[in-house]
Amino acid sequence: MPRIDKRKSYHLREVRIIKDFMPNAAGSCLIEFGRTRVLCTATVQNSAPSYVPEGTGWLTAEYAMLPGSTTTRKQRERNKYDGRSIEIGRLIGRSLRSIMDFTAIPDLTITIDCDVIQADGGTRTASISGGFVALSLAVKKLLESGRIERSPIKCYLAAVSAGICGGTPLLDLCYVEDSSAEADMNYVGTEDGDISEIQVSGEKRSITGKEFTDLLLLCRQGVDRIIDIQKKVLEDE
């Protein structure tokens, strides 16, 4: 199936990460996947929820789409939270917690906020990939200030989407592709090749075992490339 931007089926959109985008945040970045743009920030609080074990910390995440991020105005979430936003925030939090050692941040809570500035498909996976960068920058500041003694981050983490469009598996769908996809996958993986989460939805039909494997391979390749970009951004000091 020809893609509207002439990419190969296994190609990512252009990925750009601008770190330290919000100076007041402990860690932040603007992440772009093509026309999708997400602002990710990390904030550190000097307390942990009562339900976590004593001497450990916690990480939570929130996600929202700004009013101008879509072609029609997205309503602000005042007093009434969007179920989709809540579900995506939980996905971001679960994903990032999967690579954390919370004994390294005793009695601290790190909050990752992901705000979509412009949406063109893949906002949740871009949020996870950018959220990891914001988290890493916040942890770096905690180490430099002496507030923690070792990093809680066990390995790099990134996420990407893929889908079946016109019977063809495609990596990193834009909105037009995603809205017409027969099925799609959101994949969260580590630099070691481990999987933190996979979401597969048959939007218009079920998928075959081979199609599942094809999507899995595409996503794994995409995550590896995104992690390479994250490393260049975070190690470029």
Side-chain angles (χ1 to χ4, degrees), residues 68-131:
S69 61
T70 55
T71 53
T72 57
R73 185 179 185 274
K74 170 71 176 172
Q75 291 287 330
R76 291 189 186 274
E77 296 176 13
R78 294 193 183 102
N79 302 322
K80 182 178 179 181
Y81 289 98
D82 186 308
R84 176 180 177 274
S85 295
I86 293 172
E87 184 268 326
I88 294 175
R90 288 172 176 167
L91 168 65
I92 298 165
R94 285 196 307 272
S95 299
L96 294 173
R97 286 193 295 270
S98 73
I99 48 92
M100 292 283 284
D101 173 6
F102 287 109
T103 63
I105 53 168
D107 305 316
L108 296 178
T109 297
I110 300 176
T111 301
I112 305 297
D113 284 291
C114 300
D115 292 290
V116 179
I117 297 173
Q118 182 164 294
D120 188 30
T123 60
R124 71 186 68 195
T125 51
S127 295
I128 294 167
S129 299

Side-chain angles (χ1 to χ4, degrees), residues 11-197:
H11 281 173
L12 293 168
R13 290 172 289 178
E14 182 180 1
V15 179
R16 185 178 182 217
I17 302 174
I18 305 172
K19 67 179 180 179
D20 299 322
F21 195 77
M22 301 290 284
N24 289 336
S28 69
C29 75
L30 176 68
I31 187 165
E32 302 178 354
F33 276 67
R35 288 162 45 106
T36 287
R37 298 183 178 96
V38 185
L39 178 60
C40 304
T41 59
T43 307
V44 181
Q45 181 180 343
N46 289 317
S47 62
S50 59
Y51 51 79
V52 303
E54 186 176 351
T56 64
W58 190 242
L59 180 146
T60 188
E62 294 189 14
Y63 166 99
M65 298 179 69
L66 299 185
S69 61
T70 55
T71 53
T72 57
R73 185 179 185 274
K74 170 71 176 172
Q75 291 287 330
R76 291 189 186 274
E77 296 176 13
R78 294 193 183 102
N79 302 322
K80 182 178 179 181
Y81 289 98
D82 186 308
R84 176 180 177 274
S85 295
I86 293 172
E87 184 268 326
I88 294 175
R90 288 172 176 167
L91 168 65
I92 298 165
R94 285 196 307 272
S95 299
L96 294 173
R97 286 193 295 270
S98 73
I99 48 92
M100 292 283 284
D101 173 6
F102 287 109
T103 63
I105 53 168
D107 305 316
L108 296 178
T109 297
I110 300 176
T111 301
I112 305 297
D113 284 291
C114 300
D115 292 290
V116 179
I117 297 173
Q118 182 164 294
D120 188 30
T123 60
R124 71 186 68 195
T125 51
S127 295
I128 294 167
S129 299
F132 176 84
V133 172
L135 170 64
S136 298
L137 292 168
V139 166
K140 182 175 182 289
K141 286 185 180 178
L142 289 172
L143 287 166
E144 290 174 344
S145 66
R147 291 175 70 184
I148 60 174
E149 297 179 354
R150 57 189 173 87
S151 174
I153 300 173
K154 295 184 282 189
C155 60
Y156 273 75
L157 178 96
V160 75
S161 66
I164 306 289
C165 298
T168 302
L170 303 177
L171 179 65
D172 189 20
L173 305 182
C174 68
Y175 174 76
V176 171
E177 292 167 337
D178 185 55
S179 62
S180 63
E182 294 136 55
D184 59 39
M185 172 183 286
N186 294 305
Y187 177 101
V188 187
T190 73
E191 64 181 314
D192 302 321
D194 294 336
I195 298 168
S196 293
E197 183 146 350

